[in-house]
């Protein structure tokens, strides 16, 4: 089985130098297509088996192509990709999210792939295609769609005398003192700088009616009133003990953190996998799946994962054949089933085999894929540090957001 796991920049670049960007097929005479895949299937053993079968099935249908799927870690993926591309290396095909694409389009690292979906374009969710499009060109073919929403611990809510799970900010603030009296924190949060703000602060910002970037993309907007409101909401809960102190180091891990340990009553950016994880320890009767939170808006985070093609690939045609293969209904459904994700195709839904899965399907209507900008990931890193400064009492919300905004605006001005 050729599916392999690579760890560390040196390992990535070594393999990239040898086998990436397609081409010669070594002594086999076949075109070699390397794919960098990430842990969309959480169980490593199941992921290895799944992608190994994909290799076999694809090569059976494409005898002239040697497909090599290399499993990569989520950690430091942007840095590794940027290093690989800047060195003229990298895989032929890679998995990207919407906010990663603009930076690689700006550096001419990706090839538009509109023709890959030309025949089936009308069968995909318009929002999924829009999220992977830059300047009118499609740069990744969606193979799955994620969505996050709230999950509640019914037993802990009942302990505090709460019968209706809080769905709005005001309801959360009203529930917090009752839960504290019952010895329970209210809201799970991941404040580690290593955590994507798409899964922590940004949904609160959007719920407050704010945005990360100004409409012209030349400056950021998160330090305006909605951003201050969102960070003040977060800080108030943290100071009151309604967000556990472990939030400072949590990286969206559920099983061994406060939510999984039944020390906190609810999480607000959770996946179906998270719901399955806590079901095993809480018991199915104690897991409630709700809708995304609401303040001025009801919105949650969810995005398509798309396969992009390296513009430097030596065999673009072979790489595009893999995109065509993975976007067909059979593969979309099988991947969605294995990863507990939704389908980006309207004609090939992933079967919702239980009530939890149905609830996540319903939450898709509120999903927002985030804001795309070539500097999106760099801005995220700058802001994450300042949010920690607020939670630890070093800065006020306005001071922290203004500091992050100044750094971010300077960054954006240098990229124009």
């Amino acid at each position: 089985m050729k599916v392999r796991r690579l760890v560390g920049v040196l390992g990535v670049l070594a393999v990239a130098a040898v086998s990436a960007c397609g081409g010669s097929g070594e002594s086999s005479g076949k075109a070699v297509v390397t794919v960098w895949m990430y842990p969309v299937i959480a169980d490593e053993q199941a992921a290895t088996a799944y992608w190994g079968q994909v290799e076999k099935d694809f090569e059976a249908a494409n005898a002239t192509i040697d497909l090599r799927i290399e499993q990569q870690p989520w950690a430091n993926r942007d840095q590794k990709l940027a290093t690989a591309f800047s060195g003229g290396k990298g895989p032929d095909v890679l998995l990207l999210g919407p906010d990663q694409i603009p930076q690689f389009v700006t550096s001419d690292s990706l090839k538009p792939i509109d023709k890959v979906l030309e025949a089936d374009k009308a069968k995909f969710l318009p929002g999924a295609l829009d999220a992977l499009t830059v300047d009118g060109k499609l740069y990744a073919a969606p193979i799955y769609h994620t969505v996050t929403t709230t999950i509640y611990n019914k037993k802990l809510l009942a302990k505090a005398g709460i019968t209706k799970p809080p769905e709005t900010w005001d309801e959360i603030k009203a529930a917090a003192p009752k839960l504290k009296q019952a010895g329970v924190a209210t809201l799970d949060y991941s404040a580690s700088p290593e955590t994507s703000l798409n899964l922590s602060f940004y949904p609160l910002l959007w719920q407050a009616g704010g945005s990360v970037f100004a409409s012209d993309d030349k400056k950021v907007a998160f330090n305006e009133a909605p951003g201050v409101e969102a960070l003040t909401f977060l800080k108030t809960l943290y100071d009151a003990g309604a967000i556990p102190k472990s939030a400072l180091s949590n990286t969206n891990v559920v099983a061994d953190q406060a939510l999984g340990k039944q020390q906190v009553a609810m999480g607000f950016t959770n996946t179906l996998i998270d719901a399955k994880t806590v079901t095993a320890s809480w018991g199915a009767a104690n897991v409630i799946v709700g809708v995304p939170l609401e303040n001025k808006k009801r919105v949650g985070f969810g995005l398509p994962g798309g396969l992009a093609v390296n513009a430097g690939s030596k065999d673009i045609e072979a790489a595009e054949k893999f995109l065509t293969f993975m976007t067909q209904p059979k593969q979309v459904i099988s991947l969605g089933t294995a990863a507990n994700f939704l389908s980006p195709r309207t004609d090939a839904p992933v079967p919702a085999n239980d009530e939890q899965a149905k609830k996540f399907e319903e939450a898709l209507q509120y999903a927002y894929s985030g804001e795309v900008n070539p500097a999106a990931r760099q801005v995220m890193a700058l802001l994450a540090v300042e949010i920690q400064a607020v939670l630890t009492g070093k800065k006020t919300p306005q001071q922290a957001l203004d500091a992050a905004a100044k750094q971010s605006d300077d960054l954006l001005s240098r990229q124009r």
Side-chain angles (χ1 to χ4, degrees), residues 268-292:
F268 74 107
T269 58
N270 294 103
T271 65
L272 180 57
I273 295 172
D274 294 336
K276 300 298 182 189
T277 297
V278 297
T279 295
S281 56
W282 301 358
N286 287 316
V287 181
I288 300 173
V289 178
V291 292

Side-chain angles (χ1 to χ4, degrees), residues 210-260:
S211 61
V212 180
F213 296 97
S215 58
D216 61 4
D217 273 343
K218 295 180 180 179
K219 290 189 174 184
V220 295
F222 54 69
N223 61 328
E224 296 175 0
V228 176
E229 182 183 6
L231 192 47
T232 300
F233 171 70
L234 198 63
K235 171 66 169 170
T236 300
L237 292 176
Y238 184 81
D239 287 348
I243 290 175
K245 301 305 179 186
S246 59
L248 292 176
S249 58
N250 193 9
T251 56
N252 283 110
V253 175
V254 171
D256 297 321
Q257 292 295 326
L259 186 63

Side-chain angles (χ1 to χ4, degrees), residues 218 408-416:
K218 295 180 180 179
S408 299
D409 288 345
D410 289 345
L411 174 66
L412 292 170
S413 69
R414 293 196 300 271
Q415 295 191 347
R416 290 201 291 272

Side-chain angles (χ1 to χ4, degrees), residues 171-412:
E171 290 173 355
I172 288 173
K173 287 184 282 189
K178 299 176 183 178
L179 286 161
K180 184 176 183 178
Q181 189 172 2
V184 179
T186 303
L187 188 69
D188 195 34
Y189 188 79
S190 295
S192 168
E194 298 176 8
T195 302
S196 168
L197 295 188
N198 286 324
L199 293 169
S200 53
F201 181 69
Y202 284 172
L204 298 176
L205 174 66
W206 301 327
Q207 289 160 16
S211 61
V212 180
F213 296 97
S215 58
D216 61 4
D217 273 343
K218 295 180 180 179
K219 290 189 174 184
V220 295
F222 54 69
N223 61 328
E224 296 175 0
V228 176
E229 182 183 6
L231 192 47
T232 300
F233 171 70
L234 198 63
K235 171 66 169 170
T236 300
L237 292 176
Y238 184 81
D239 287 348
I243 290 175
K245 301 305 179 186
S246 59
L248 292 176
S249 58
N250 193 9
T251 56
N252 283 110
V253 175
V254 171
D256 297 321
Q257 292 295 326
L259 186 63
K261 292 179 177 179
Q262 302 195 68
Q263 297 167 352
V264 61
M266 62 180 288
F268 74 107
T269 58
N270 294 103
T271 65
L272 180 57
I273 295 172
D274 294 336
K276 300 298 182 189
T277 297
V278 297
T279 295
S281 56
W282 301 358
N286 287 316
V287 181
I288 300 173
V289 178
V291 292
L293 296 181
E294 180 180 21
N295 185 34
K296 292 181 175 64
K297 295 180 179 179
R298 188 180 299 282
V299 58
F301 176 67
L303 52 69
L307 293 177
V309 173
N310 186 344
S313 172
K314 295 176 182 176
D315 201 324
I316 296 289
E317 184 179 353
E320 289 180 340
K321 284 183 178 179
F322 180 63
L323 269 63
T324 298
F325 177 82
M326 286 301 300
T327 52
Q328 294 307 300
K330 179 182 177 181
Q331 291 304 136
V332 166
I333 292 171
S334 71
L335 177 58
T337 301
N340 284 307
F341 286 154
L342 300 175
S343 172
R345 292 187 66 123
T346 57
D347 63 338
V350 176
N353 53 13
D354 58 33
E355 286 303 313
Q356 287 184 352
K358 290 178 182 177
K359 288 291 185 180
F360 276 87
E361 272 192 356
E362 293 170 10
L364 187 59
Q365 64 183 301
Y366 303 109
Y368 180 48
S369 61
E371 300 173 55
V372 296
N373 184 288
R377 289 299 175 115
Q378 294 161 287
V379 167
M380 187 181 290
L382 295 171
L383 180 54
V385 174
E386 295 295 338
I387 291 173
Q388 273 233 345
V390 172
L391 295 181
T392 55
K394 296 176 182 177
K395 294 183 180 180
T396 68
Q398 188 70 71
Q399 288 172 339
L401 293 173
D402 284 345
K406 183 180 186 305
Q407 297 175 75
S408 299
D409 288 345
D410 289 345
L411 174 66
L412 292 170

